[in-house]
Amino acid sequence: MLATAFPSCLRGRNCAGGSDTVLHMSEALLKTDLGSLPLLARGKVRDLYALGDDLLFVATDRISAFDHVLGSGIPDKGKILTQISAFWFEFLKDTVANHLLPSVPPPAAALLAPFTKQLAGRSMFVRRARMFPVECVVRGYLSGSGWKDYRATGAVCGIALPPGLLEAEKLPEPIFTPAAKVTTGGHDENISYAQMEAIVGVETAAELRRLTLAIYAKASEYAAAKGLILADTKFEFGWVEDAGGSGHIVLADEVLTPDSSRYWPEQSYAPGGPQPSFDKQFVRDYLEAIGWNKRAPAPALPGNVVSRTREKYMEAFRLLTGRNGLEGA
Ligand code: Q0N
């Protein structure tokens, strides 16, 4: 099904990796190597390559916690997150245009063919966009830096909220709380809407806020029907040129994955304190238990933490996509 819906998600001829079972977990892909293809950016988790005028977006199996990439990866994590993103791009396509290209042109496919094993199920061929230098964050619940901000100021990113809200409580309505990218690897910095207007312009700011809230409304309603609270999430948008000199906004990067979003199981939701992370709680618990000082080098993870975490990512994938495994990815 995805094969026809997402021809730009590269697939292996015999679905390398996707058919692995519990009997044999494949090795984690920690780093891509695409020979002479120009690497444009290596993020904590994703590698971005130039492919002619377009880009190849590859999700590795790297995992970060407490702002560090850990010494171990989670096998198939990059495939799982790519398939979750692909699901959401398709789900949202009537709400927002996205950066996915409809297919990989034959010359690009020929260049990539030697690297099928690294790319299958975890890569997307996307349009190169001019990225807006803001993170478009939307919060339906009070958590993370939003909760910290609220406790200190009674507001989040300058948006006043009613007094007496609890940590993780549902907000009266979802709020748009942009952040500016900090290039030095640090945390993104919350900014006011007026600051965002100064960065991207008044009209663009309004359109990015409108899109962000519309996407959140649609996605959180869907997630709720699957038993998941979408507490908050962040989007990155870019601008692509159309033929004839005009252009349009596209939703780029990864979308509504557990790495870019807080998902909480509705069943165990309990406002009044921090909610356990859907995907990374075993990792965090382990890192706290061994007393890691949260400075580099980050430790490796024991096998049971890796396999239980992998199972959490698969659970998110199954709940959201309704698919049982990665076959076909
Ligand atoms: C882009 N980032 C931020 C990969 C992800 N379609 C695009 N066109 C131009 N640039 C970008 C995209 C996208 N998506 C997005 N950087 C460039 C996130 N990166 C961090 C590094 O890994």
Short mmCIF file of all heavy atoms in Angstrom, two decimals, residues 224-263:
data_model
loop_
_atom_site.label_atom_id
_atom_site.label_comp_id
_atom_site.label_asym_id
_atom_site.label_seq_id
_atom_site.Cartn_x
_atom_site.Cartn_y
_atom_site.Cartn_z
N ALA A 224 -5.86 10.35 19.31
CA ALA A 224 -6.77 10.06 20.43
C ALA A 224 -7.63 8.84 20.12
O ALA A 224 -7.88 8.01 21.00
CB ALA A 224 -7.65 11.28 20.71
N ALA A 225 -8.03 8.71 18.86
CA ALA A 225 -8.85 7.56 18.47
C ALA A 225 -8.05 6.26 18.57
O ALA A 225 -8.62 5.17 18.63
CB ALA A 225 -9.38 7.75 17.05
N LYS A 226 -6.73 6.37 18.58
CA LYS A 226 -5.85 5.20 18.72
C LYS A 226 -5.35 5.03 20.15
O LYS A 226 -4.41 4.27 20.42
CB LYS A 226 -4.65 5.32 17.77
CG LYS A 226 -5.01 5.59 16.33
CD LYS A 226 -5.78 4.40 15.74
CE LYS A 226 -6.24 4.72 14.32
NZ LYS A 226 -7.04 3.61 13.74
N GLY A 227 -5.92 5.80 21.07
CA GLY A 227 -5.54 5.67 22.48
C GLY A 227 -4.30 6.44 22.88
O GLY A 227 -3.74 6.20 23.95
N LEU A 228 -3.86 7.35 22.01
CA LEU A 228 -2.64 8.12 22.30
C LEU A 228 -2.96 9.61 22.42
O LEU A 228 -3.62 10.19 21.56
CB LEU A 228 -1.61 7.93 21.17
CG LEU A 228 -0.97 6.55 21.07
CD1 LEU A 228 -0.11 6.48 19.81
CD2 LEU A 228 -0.13 6.26 22.31
N ILE A 229 -2.46 10.20 23.48
CA ILE A 229 -2.51 11.66 23.62
C ILE A 229 -1.30 12.23 22.90
O ILE A 229 -0.17 11.80 23.14
CB ILE A 229 -2.47 12.06 25.11
CG1 ILE A 229 -3.75 11.60 25.81
CG2 ILE A 229 -2.28 13.57 25.25
CD1 ILE A 229 -3.69 11.73 27.33
N LEU A 230 -1.53 13.17 22.00
CA LEU A 230 -0.41 13.91 21.37
C LEU A 230 -0.25 15.19 22.20
O LEU A 230 -0.95 16.16 21.98
CB LEU A 230 -0.73 14.21 19.91
CG LEU A 230 0.30 15.02 19.14
CD1 LEU A 230 1.66 14.34 19.13
CD2 LEU A 230 -0.19 15.28 17.71
N ALA A 231 0.66 15.13 23.17
CA ALA A 231 0.78 16.25 24.12
C ALA A 231 1.33 17.49 23.45
O ALA A 231 0.83 18.59 23.66
CB ALA A 231 1.67 15.84 25.30
N ASP A 232 2.38 17.31 22.67
CA ASP A 232 2.94 18.43 21.93
C ASP A 232 3.80 17.89 20.79
O ASP A 232 4.11 16.70 20.75
CB ASP A 232 3.76 19.38 22.83
CG ASP A 232 4.86 18.67 23.60
OD1 ASP A 232 5.54 17.80 23.01
OD2 ASP A 232 5.03 18.96 24.79
N THR A 233 4.15 18.76 19.88
CA THR A 233 4.99 18.34 18.76
C THR A 233 5.60 19.57 18.11
O THR A 233 5.20 20.70 18.42
CB THR A 233 4.19 17.51 17.73
OG1 THR A 233 5.10 16.96 16.78
CG2 THR A 233 3.15 18.36 17.02
N LYS A 234 6.60 19.34 17.26
CA LYS A 234 7.19 20.48 16.56
C LYS A 234 7.36 20.17 15.08
O LYS A 234 7.65 19.04 14.69
CB LYS A 234 8.53 20.87 17.19
CG LYS A 234 9.61 19.86 17.04
CD LYS A 234 10.94 20.43 17.50
CE LYS A 234 12.00 19.36 17.48
NZ LYS A 234 12.97 19.44 18.53
N PHE A 235 7.16 21.20 14.30
CA PHE A 235 7.28 21.08 12.84
C PHE A 235 8.33 22.04 12.32
O PHE A 235 8.58 23.10 12.90
CB PHE A 235 5.94 21.42 12.17
CG PHE A 235 4.78 20.61 12.66
CD1 PHE A 235 3.71 21.22 13.32
CD2 PHE A 235 4.74 19.23 12.47
CE1 PHE A 235 2.63 20.47 13.77
CE2 PHE A 235 3.67 18.47 12.93
CZ PHE A 235 2.61 19.10 13.57
N GLU A 236 8.90 21.64 11.18
CA GLU A 236 9.76 22.55 10.43
C GLU A 236 9.16 22.73 9.05
O GLU A 236 8.79 21.76 8.40
CB GLU A 236 11.18 21.99 10.32
CG GLU A 236 11.90 21.98 11.66
CD GLU A 236 13.40 21.80 11.51
OE1 GLU A 236 13.98 22.29 10.52
OE2 GLU A 236 13.98 21.16 12.39
N PHE A 237 9.09 23.97 8.64
CA PHE A 237 8.53 24.29 7.33
C PHE A 237 9.60 24.95 6.46
O PHE A 237 10.54 25.57 6.96
CB PHE A 237 7.36 25.26 7.47
CG PHE A 237 6.17 24.71 8.19
CD1 PHE A 237 6.01 24.90 9.56
CD2 PHE A 237 5.19 24.00 7.50
CE1 PHE A 237 4.90 24.41 10.23
CE2 PHE A 237 4.07 23.51 8.16
CZ PHE A 237 3.92 23.71 9.53
N GLY A 238 9.40 24.81 5.15
CA GLY A 238 10.29 25.47 4.21
C GLY A 238 9.49 26.07 3.07
O GLY A 238 8.26 25.92 3.00
N TRP A 239 10.20 26.71 2.20
CA TRP A 239 9.60 27.39 1.05
C TRP A 239 10.18 26.77 -0.21
O TRP A 239 11.41 26.65 -0.33
CB TRP A 239 9.91 28.88 1.09
CG TRP A 239 9.35 29.67 -0.04
CD1 TRP A 239 9.99 30.03 -1.20
CD2 TRP A 239 8.02 30.19 -0.14
NE1 TRP A 239 9.13 30.75 -2.00
CE2 TRP A 239 7.93 30.87 -1.38
CE3 TRP A 239 6.90 30.16 0.70
CZ2 TRP A 239 6.75 31.50 -1.80
CZ3 TRP A 239 5.74 30.79 0.28
CH2 TRP A 239 5.68 31.45 -0.96
N VAL A 240 9.31 26.33 -1.12
CA VAL A 240 9.81 25.83 -2.40
C VAL A 240 9.23 26.67 -3.53
O VAL A 240 8.09 27.14 -3.47
CB VAL A 240 9.47 24.33 -2.63
CG1 VAL A 240 10.15 23.47 -1.57
CG2 VAL A 240 7.99 24.09 -2.65
N GLU A 241 10.04 26.86 -4.54
CA GLU A 241 9.64 27.65 -5.71
C GLU A 241 8.75 26.79 -6.61
O GLU A 241 8.98 25.58 -6.76
CB GLU A 241 10.87 28.06 -6.51
CG GLU A 241 11.95 28.77 -5.69
CD GLU A 241 11.62 30.24 -5.47
OE1 GLU A 241 11.15 30.88 -6.43
OE2 GLU A 241 11.82 30.72 -4.34
N ASP A 242 7.73 27.40 -7.18
CA ASP A 242 6.92 26.75 -8.20
C ASP A 242 7.39 27.24 -9.56
O ASP A 242 8.07 28.26 -9.66
CB ASP A 242 5.44 27.12 -8.03
CG ASP A 242 4.89 26.68 -6.70
OD1 ASP A 242 5.28 25.60 -6.24
OD2 ASP A 242 4.07 27.43 -6.12
N ALA A 243 6.96 26.52 -10.59
CA ALA A 243 7.23 27.02 -11.94
C ALA A 243 6.49 28.35 -12.08
O ALA A 243 5.36 28.48 -11.62
CB ALA A 243 6.73 26.02 -12.97
N GLY A 244 7.13 29.34 -12.70
CA GLY A 244 6.44 30.61 -12.92
C GLY A 244 6.71 31.63 -11.83
O GLY A 244 6.03 32.63 -11.74
N GLY A 245 7.72 31.38 -10.98
CA GLY A 245 8.19 32.41 -10.08
C GLY A 245 7.47 32.50 -8.75
O GLY A 245 7.95 33.17 -7.84
N SER A 246 6.33 31.84 -8.60
CA SER A 246 5.68 31.85 -7.29
C SER A 246 6.27 30.71 -6.44
O SER A 246 7.24 30.07 -6.83
CB SER A 246 4.17 31.68 -7.45
OG SER A 246 3.88 30.50 -8.16
N GLY A 247 5.71 30.50 -5.27
CA GLY A 247 6.21 29.44 -4.41
C GLY A 247 5.17 29.06 -3.38
O GLY A 247 4.10 29.66 -3.34
N HIS A 248 5.48 28.06 -2.58
CA HIS A 248 4.54 27.69 -1.52
C HIS A 248 5.28 27.07 -0.32
O HIS A 248 6.41 26.60 -0.45
CB HIS A 248 3.45 26.75 -2.03
CG HIS A 248 3.95 25.40 -2.47
ND1 HIS A 248 4.48 25.16 -3.72
CD2 HIS A 248 4.02 24.21 -1.81
CE1 HIS A 248 4.84 23.89 -3.82
NE2 HIS A 248 4.58 23.29 -2.68
N ILE A 249 4.61 27.07 0.81
CA ILE A 249 5.15 26.51 2.05
C ILE A 249 5.01 24.99 2.01
O ILE A 249 3.97 24.47 1.60
CB ILE A 249 4.40 27.09 3.27
CG1 ILE A 249 4.75 28.58 3.43
CG2 ILE A 249 4.72 26.31 4.54
CD1 ILE A 249 3.91 29.29 4.48
N VAL A 250 6.05 24.30 2.45
CA VAL A 250 5.96 22.84 2.60
C VAL A 250 6.31 22.43 4.03
O VAL A 250 7.18 23.04 4.67
CB VAL A 250 6.89 22.05 1.64
CG1 VAL A 250 6.41 22.14 0.21
CG2 VAL A 250 8.34 22.50 1.78
N LEU A 251 5.65 21.39 4.49
CA LEU A 251 6.01 20.74 5.75
C LEU A 251 7.20 19.85 5.43
O LEU A 251 7.16 19.05 4.48
CB LEU A 251 4.82 19.91 6.25
CG LEU A 251 5.00 19.12 7.54
CD1 LEU A 251 5.34 20.03 8.71
CD2 LEU A 251 3.73 18.32 7.84
N ALA A 252 8.30 20.00 6.19
CA ALA A 252 9.53 19.28 5.89
C ALA A 252 9.96 18.45 7.09
O ALA A 252 9.19 18.22 8.02
CB ALA A 252 10.63 20.27 5.49
N ASP A 253 11.20 17.96 7.03
CA ASP A 253 11.82 17.22 8.14
C ASP A 253 10.99 15.96 8.45
O ASP A 253 10.35 15.40 7.59
CB ASP A 253 11.94 18.16 9.34
CG ASP A 253 13.07 17.76 10.28
OD1 ASP A 253 13.73 16.73 10.04
OD2 ASP A 253 13.30 18.45 11.27
N GLU A 254 11.04 15.54 9.70
CA GLU A 254 10.23 14.39 10.14
C GLU A 254 8.94 14.95 10.73
O GLU A 254 8.92 16.09 11.19
CB GLU A 254 10.98 13.57 11.17
CG GLU A 254 11.31 14.34 12.44
CD GLU A 254 11.92 13.48 13.53
OE1 GLU A 254 11.84 12.24 13.46
OE2 GLU A 254 12.48 14.06 14.47
N VAL A 255 7.90 14.15 10.72
CA VAL A 255 6.60 14.65 11.16
C VAL A 255 5.94 13.72 12.16
O VAL A 255 5.72 12.53 11.87
CB VAL A 255 5.66 14.82 9.94
CG1 VAL A 255 4.30 15.31 10.39
CG2 VAL A 255 6.25 15.82 8.96
N LEU A 256 5.66 14.27 13.33
CA LEU A 256 4.84 13.57 14.33
C LEU A 256 5.39 12.19 14.69
O LEU A 256 4.65 11.24 14.91
CB LEU A 256 3.39 13.47 13.82
CG LEU A 256 2.68 14.81 13.74
CD1 LEU A 256 1.49 14.76 12.79
CD2 LEU A 256 2.21 15.27 15.14
N THR A 257 6.73 12.11 14.73
CA THR A 257 7.36 10.88 15.22
C THR A 257 7.52 10.99 16.73
O THR A 257 7.43 12.09 17.30
CB THR A 257 8.76 10.69 14.60
OG1 THR A 257 9.62 11.71 15.14
CG2 THR A 257 8.73 10.78 13.09
N PRO A 258 7.80 9.89 17.40
CA PRO A 258 8.07 9.98 18.85
C PRO A 258 9.31 10.82 19.15
O PRO A 258 9.43 11.33 20.27
CB PRO A 258 8.29 8.52 19.27
CG PRO A 258 7.61 7.70 18.21
CD PRO A 258 7.76 8.49 16.94
N ASP A 259 10.23 10.99 18.19
CA ASP A 259 11.40 11.85 18.42
C ASP A 259 11.03 13.34 18.39
O ASP A 259 11.73 14.15 19.00
CB ASP A 259 12.49 11.61 17.37
CG ASP A 259 13.39 10.43 17.71
OD1 ASP A 259 13.08 9.69 18.66
OD2 ASP A 259 14.41 10.24 17.01
N SER A 260 9.98 13.70 17.67
CA SER A 260 9.64 15.12 17.53
C SER A 260 8.38 15.49 18.32
O SER A 260 7.92 16.63 18.25
CB SER A 260 9.43 15.48 16.06
OG SER A 260 8.26 14.87 15.54
N SER A 261 7.83 14.52 19.04
CA SER A 261 6.51 14.69 19.66
C SER A 261 6.50 14.01 21.02
O SER A 261 7.25 13.07 21.25
CB SER A 261 5.42 14.03 18.82
OG SER A 261 5.62 14.28 17.44
N ARG A 262 5.61 14.46 21.87
CA ARG A 262 5.32 13.71 23.10
C ARG A 262 4.00 12.98 22.91
O ARG A 262 2.96 13.62 22.78
CB ARG A 262 5.19 14.63 24.31
CG ARG A 262 6.50 15.09 24.89
CD ARG A 262 6.32 15.73 26.27
NE ARG A 262 7.60 16.23 26.74
CZ ARG A 262 8.07 17.44 26.45
NH1 ARG A 262 7.37 18.29 25.73
NH2 ARG A 262 9.26 17.81 26.89
N TYR A 263 4.08 11.66 22.88
CA TYR A 263 2.88 10.82 22.88
C TYR A 263 2.75 10.19 24.27
O TYR A 263 3.72 9.70 24.83
CB TYR A 263 3.02 9.69 21.86
CG TYR A 263 2.89 10.09 20.40
CD1 TYR A 263 4.01 10.20 19.59
CD2 TYR A 263 1.63 10.31 19.84
CE1 TYR A 263 3.89 10.53 18.23
CE2 TYR A 263 1.51 10.65 18.49
CZ TYR A 263 2.63 10.76 17.70
OH TYR A 263 2.50 11.09 16.37
#
